[in-house]
Amino acid sequence: KQEVTQIPAALSVPEGENLVLNCSFTDSAIYNLQWFRQDPGKGLTSLLLIQSSQREQTSGRLNASLDKSSGRSTLYIAASQPGDSATYLCKTSGSRLTFGEGTQLTVNP
Amino acid sequence: EAQVTQNPRYLITVTGKKLTVTCSQNMNHEYMSWYRQDPGLGLRQIYYSMNVEVTDKGDVPEGYKVSRKEKRNFPLILESPSPNQTSLYFCASSGGYTSSYNSPLHFGNGTRLTVT
């Protein structure tokens, strides 16, 4: 059974800092890995989708990488802003869709 | 606008009173699914559907029913709600049958259900 872990559970940084969020998974037989953002009480917004054949995807200040062999993905956020404050979740797609519990990010002005 | 629409956003009900949470998507997606989100437990899949009239159990299907009579709609039915079903529920959809695992998952805004 796939297990997806996100560490740390919470992270607080000053505005402008570059940061990395981590996602690890136990079963490397995945089709893709997707990163989401969730604001309090809201749905999940898709940020980046990395196919299993890809190593990374970029969108604006966000860069996601995937290393299937080591069971790891990272989400890099450049020049963080207070508006980036949210919970970030990763999801693997294999025989099942499995979500991590998320990292709650706070960017302080 | 491409979207997944859930209704209602908030629902308070009593134990045993049947309820339905509706979900509709306008992206012609074949894959649809329901999740519940609870503190400390994360997002857990309740049911999913790969196509019309095709539904399968997720990780926590007990106490729930679904139907997929039309491509765009995937209602979640609680025949006899209990307090342990108090949660935040999300509907999601993605891609086509052959690409559901390679397409992004799109979420609705959620339904907060309280069962007293």
Side-chain angles (χ1 to χ4, degrees):
Chain A
K1 179 184 174 184
Q2 177 74 285
E3 293 182 6
V4 178
T5 304
Q6 293 186 247
I7 295 174
L11 181 63
S12 181
V13 301
E15 182 176 4
E17 191 163 300
N18 301 325
L19 58 101
V20 174
L21 306 180
N22 297 297
C23 172
S24 61
F25 47 95
T26 56
D27 185 355
S28 62
I30 62 172
Y31 298 101
N32 61 60
L33 187 142
Q34 189 171 0
W35 281 93
F36 295 88
R37 168 192 174 129
Q38 184 178 24
D39 294 287
K42 300 288 182 63
L44 280 69
T45 301
S46 178
L47 297 174
L48 290 163
L49 174 74
I50 313 175
Q51 303 293 354
S52 62
S53 59
Q54 297 174 323
R55 297 283 293 183
E56 64 180 302
Q57 281 286 318
T58 298
S59 175
R61 293 183 294 109
L62 305 179
N63 176 278
S65 68
L66 175 63
D67 184 342
K68 278 181 55 178
S69 61
S70 66
R72 294 185 62 187
S73 176
T74 61
L75 179 66
Y76 174 82
I77 302 177
S80 59
Q81 303 170 357
D84 295 329
S85 298
T87 297
Y88 291 80
L89 296 97
C90 63
K91 170 197 70 81
T92 60
S93 295
S95 57
R96 291 276 208 212
L97 302 185
T98 307
F99 288 83
E101 290 194 35
T103 293
Q104 185 175 354
L105 173 66
T106 302
V107 181
N108 301 301
Chain B
E1 180 188 353
Q3 58 185 3
V4 178
T5 304
Q6 292 179 232
N7 280 298
R9 289 294 311 278
Y10 302 92
L11 180 57
I12 301 173
T13 190
V14 297
T15 299
K17 186 176 181 181
K18 180 180 178 179
L19 66 91
T20 299
V21 184
T22 64
C23 175
S24 178
Q25 49 90 8
N26 62 1
M27 295 169 279
N28 202 37
H29 285 167
E30 294 189 8
Y31 180 90
M32 298 185 74
S33 56
W34 277 102
Y35 302 84
R36 61 178 290 174
Q37 187 176 36
D38 303 287
L41 296 174
L43 272 162
R44 294 178 293 170
Q45 191 177 58
I46 303 170
Y47 269 96
Y48 64 97
S49 169
M50 296 290 275
N51 211 332
V52 176
E53 302 290 4
V54 179
T55 61
D56 282 294
K57 296 178 180 179
D59 297 316
V60 288
E62 294 78 19
Y64 305 94
K65 285 175 57 178
V66 293
S67 69
R68 188 88 183 275
K69 293 183 171 57
E70 306 165 282
K71 196 172 186 180
R72 63 183 291 127
N73 296 322
F74 191 45
L76 179 69
I77 302 156
L78 284 72
E79 295 270 4
S80 183
S82 61
N84 65 12
Q85 292 178 299
T86 293
S87 187
L88 181 58
Y89 291 86
F90 290 103
C91 179
S93 71
S94 74
Y97 180 77
T98 58
S99 63
S100 60
Y101 284 128
N102 288 322
S103 297
L105 200 58
H106 299 266
F107 278 80
N109 282 329
T111 295
R112 185 166 293 282
L113 171 65
T114 302
V115 184
T116 61

